[in-house]
Amino acid sequence: MDSIGPVGLQQGEGTPGCPQDSLLYPSDSSELVQDCLQQFKVTEPQLQQIQTSLLGSMEQALGGQTSPAPAVRMLPTYVGSIPHGTEEGDFVVLELGATGASLRVLWVTLTGTEGHSMQPQSQEFVIPQEVMLGPGQQLFDFAACCLSKFLDTLPVGNQGLQLGFSFSFPCHQTGLDRSTLISWTKGFRCSGVEGQDVVQLLRDAIQRQGAYNIDVVAVVNDTVGTMMGCEPGLGPCEVGLVVDTGTNACYMEEARHVAVLDEDRGRVCVSIEWGSFGGDEALGPVLTTFDRTLDLESLNPGAQSPSDGATRVHTILQDLGLSVGALDVKIVQHVCMAVCTRAARLCAAALAAVLFRLQHSREQQMLQIAVATGGQVFEQHPRFLSVLQETVMLLVPECDVSFIPSVDGGGRGVAMVTAVAARLAAHRRLLEETLADFRLNREQLAVIQAQMRKAMDKGLRGEASSLRMLPTYVRATPNGSERGDFLALDLGGTNFRVLLVRVATGVVRITSQVYSIPEYVAQGSGQQLFDHIVDCIVDFQQKQGLSGQSLPLGFTFSFPCRQLGLDQGILLNWTKGFSASDCEGQDVVCLLREAIRRRQAVELNVVAIVNDTVGTMMSCGYEDPHCEVGLIVGEEGPALFTSMPDVNSLSPVDSSGTGTNACYMEELRNVVGVAGDSGHMCINMEWGAFGDDGSLGVLSTCFDASVDQASINPSKQRFEKMISGMYLGEIVRHILLHLTSLGVLFRGQQTQRLQTRDIFKTKFLSEIESDSLALRQVRAILEDLGLPLTSDDALMVLEVCQAVSQRAAKLCGAGVAAVVEKIRENRGLEELTVSVGVDGTLYKLHPHRRTDLAKVQLWSLLLPAVLPRWPTSEESSGICWTRAWNPLVSSQPSHPRLPG
């Protein structure tokens, strides 16, 4: 069988691990020595099998499998972050169990400057035998006393101290500062401790001592301390490896993979407890007769593997039938080398399983990572590390691994765990303070609902109001009997759509094409804009074989208009980046008809003008007779127009929505300025301007103010700037800048990229908040923006995005609640079933906007019942929500639809 050659030697050459024929052994012992050392050779396939077996056991343990019991225990340590170099302060460390019958106290000062550290001060205390075997309280009182004696030598004063507790015994940890002792090892047998929280026992002892104000922040084992204490290398240090009297490893696992945590975000350090691996005979092929003899004579037969290289040289020599002589020394050297080499290779196979898991779970072609090493084997056997490195490279060539020795035996790492916990707690407070104003409660939403209702009433009466409440002259919703072929035009943002709609019994077929609106057209003359629109229509007709036909045409014009009839709409003002001249104050239907006449030989019958909100309601209403409300929540803004070489270039591009608006069916008697007292009228609320009178001031944050002032229309469209995707990305960017200035994000380092306006597109919010994305993908999105960040940063950015988008959803939900409550009261009903037709890329693409809009209304008791519905039509403008509306009773009655 082929074997893995040790460091610096090729297979077939003489090696310390595999004595060659050229070695001069006595003829009667040479063959016996060769046979003996041959047993310690481990082949590459054997190592790969061990790696695979351990990897499988790790996955079983992470998934919570209990039958059959996995060969390793994957214990979460509740350490959720590694150091990033900004930690600072003074910390106390108490080590118990790391060095046998003694404990050590350390004072560690962290400077907050990466690469610059101060030498810890420490003192070791020998634990008397009677304390190791006596009552548990006596042990912890002894520890508290030693702690006080050590601190007496330092100028501590009355300052509060944060302590990290290194407790190197088998424990069941349920929190960063909660750990229950499973069983004593290493000669300790203190009564009344097993099954108890050792952190609480230490706290009680410190309190009985009463000398210092000490807060026990974290409890960790020596392996975690080793990982946390290593100096940063070429990659992040996310693996700890200890090979001492025993062996263990830990690494940073994705929290969503640890079943016992029930977490779906972030990472957590997992202690593998791999010393017992092999009890399931996974190591059977590499166990020698000497391993089995040693195992039978140990304290726990069958429970620990031989990978720590523990041997009894004298026993081996006796089993060989040799008496010690001059040549025996050389034989012993080769035996020790063989045992040490095998131990390093076995350790490498286990470590390769961890690295393989990290590389594949993070989907990285090349994993660059540092492994912190600790323990006397590394310190006393330099060859162990070299063999370990070469074997790891052989088994996982896709991993670029650097090995970094631990600092001060892991004591500094325990302090670092404490420091990281303190940093995270401080950053959490700053984050919560920053986002507090975005977390709207029930009372605040009820106020918004009432304010909008008041503004609606004033607008309907023709009084001064931030809601224009414009009649659309649409007097009925579809009843399903509509038939025929129709053209539709949709102008409302960066792009322009032309649609052919064929309505037949039970089916609606839609053909559409999207054309760009060049910036020079949107901001040129009105004649140029409408000539371009007609050019697009003609191009579409030619492609669809409609040239020469005169079809009814509906014009979706999503800008503020005062309608004088179904086919008359006076443009009040441009929005969304448009500024075409000679249009404001003009009837846009007339402007379109004039452009049609200029084109000649084109027959188009413009029969109606509506905005996109009304179109959404009517489209959804064709499928759902209860749909009497339309809502638009768009995404990308108009800042980026598609550049085109000339007006005749009609290349189709993707479409996107922009702002937000709502419409609904109002009682005609309530609409001032329109004749008639019976029937209904669709009202275009233009609710993006809600709050322009200052009524939203109490909810506006400094970040909203910054975005507003940088916009093209300061102090206008305040509601829209809190809701629509056109602005949410900018709000997030300003929050990230603020948190960076506080040192909460990106290590406090400002980047020019984040200073760039509109760099944080709203589509990133949708991508970042997607449930299907792992944290690594969130990081990838942000890194593509040029933002170097840690996992902690990614989690905080995610929380910022959630806070901003949830506030938008809640405000939108409160507005919808005001509208449907108005409809219910208009009709004098105790209950109302109504559907809301919704469109807009932010609503469609955001992973939680639909559920957030529903949740806020349920949670705030604004709407007592929610039944989501999905219409079947492609152009049905999104989702219809069916609401059983009753302010007192939650039920779902059936009501006939309104007469047409």
Side-chain angles (χ1 to χ4, degrees), residues 310-326:
T311 60
R312 297 166 58 192
V313 176
H314 187 65
T315 301
I316 293 176
L317 292 175
Q318 286 183 334
D319 288 343
L320 289 173
L322 301 175
S323 59
V324 178

Side-chain angles (χ1 to χ4, degrees), residues 385-464:
L385 178 58
S386 62
V387 174
L388 176 72
Q389 288 176 306
E390 180 176 296
T391 309
V392 166
M393 290 175 59
L394 178 69
L395 295 176
V396 280
E398 303 86 1
C399 298
D400 181 9
V401 187
S402 56
F403 291 85
I404 304 175
S406 65
V407 178
D408 197 46
R412 182 177 181 274
V414 178
M416 192 61 75
V417 172
T418 310
V420 168
R423 168 175 61 82
L424 293 178
H427 288 180
R428 167 56 53 184
R429 288 192 297 271
L430 292 172
L431 180 66
E432 290 298 328
E433 291 172 4
T434 300
L435 299 182
D437 290 338
F438 288 87
R439 308 193 193 281
L440 305 183
N441 57 36
R442 171 183 171 183
E443 289 73 21
Q444 290 172 307
L445 294 175
V447 169
I448 294 299
Q449 179 187 2
Q451 289 177 336
M452 179 165 285
R453 176 61 188 279
K454 182 178 180 180
M456 291 171 64
D457 292 339
K458 292 174 66 176
L460 288 171
R461 293 194 299 265
E463 300 174 6

Side-chain angles (χ1 to χ4, degrees), residues 387-631:
V387 174
L388 176 72
Q389 288 176 306
E390 180 176 296
T391 309
V392 166
M393 290 175 59
L394 178 69
L395 295 176
V396 280
E398 303 86 1
C399 298
D400 181 9
V401 187
S402 56
F403 291 85
I404 304 175
S406 65
V407 178
D408 197 46
R412 182 177 181 274
V414 178
M416 192 61 75
V417 172
T418 310
V420 168
R423 168 175 61 82
L424 293 178
H427 288 180
R428 167 56 53 184
R429 288 192 297 271
L430 292 172
L431 180 66
E432 290 298 328
E433 291 172 4
T434 300
L435 299 182
D437 290 338
F438 288 87
R439 308 193 193 281
L440 305 183
N441 57 36
R442 171 183 171 183
E443 289 73 21
Q444 290 172 307
L445 294 175
V447 169
I448 294 299
Q449 179 187 2
Q451 289 177 336
M452 179 165 285
R453 176 61 188 279
K454 182 178 180 180
M456 291 171 64
D457 292 339
K458 292 174 66 176
L460 288 171
R461 293 194 299 265
E463 300 174 6
S465 171
S466 60
L467 295 179
R468 290 177 173 174
M469 306 300 287
L470 305 172
T472 66
Y473 292 87
V474 172
R475 298 174 183 268
T477 55
N479 62 15
S481 66
E482 295 79 9
R483 302 288 184 271
D485 296 344
F486 308 90
L487 283 177
L489 314 180
D490 183 0
L491 177 64
T494 57
N495 301 306
F496 169 64
R497 291 191 299 170
V498 185
L499 305 92
L500 172 62
V501 183
R502 299 183 185 274
V503 184
T505 303
V507 62
V508 178
R509 293 187 177 90
I510 299 174
T511 304
S512 66
Q513 186 163 335
V514 181
Y515 299 92
S516 66
I517 302 291
E519 183 175 5
Y520 68 88
V521 172
Q523 299 179 3
S525 68
Q527 180 174 322
Q528 186 181 28
L529 172 62
F530 283 91
D531 283 347
H532 177 72
I533 291 172
V534 174
D535 288 340
C536 294
I537 298 172
V538 171
D539 176 79
F540 180 79
Q541 285 183 309
Q542 291 172 348
K543 291 178 178 178
Q544 300 300 321
L546 300 174
S547 298
Q549 297 186 37
S550 179
L551 297 179
L553 184 148
F555 188 13
T556 299
F557 189 75
S558 303
F559 298 91
C561 285
R562 184 177 72 254
Q563 280 195 251
L564 305 178
L566 189 59
D567 63 346
Q568 293 177 282
I570 307 300
L571 175 63
L572 298 177
N573 59 274
W574 285 116
T575 58
K576 309 174 186 179
F578 281 71
S579 59
S581 61
D582 301 322
C583 293
E584 292 182 354
Q586 301 297 313
D587 182 352
V588 293
V589 175
C590 288
L591 295 177
L592 178 60
R593 286 170 173 162
E594 290 171 0
I596 293 171
R597 285 194 294 270
R598 284 194 296 271
R599 181 64 191 244
Q600 298 182 1
V602 176
E603 295 186 18
L604 295 171
N605 179 22
V606 185
V607 299
I609 178 174
V610 297
N611 67 15
D612 53 351
T613 316
V614 178
T616 295
M617 181 190 72
M618 298 293 283
S619 179
C620 189
Y622 187 80
E623 301 291 337
D624 186 341
H626 295 293
C627 185
E628 299 183 70
V629 181
L631 173 64

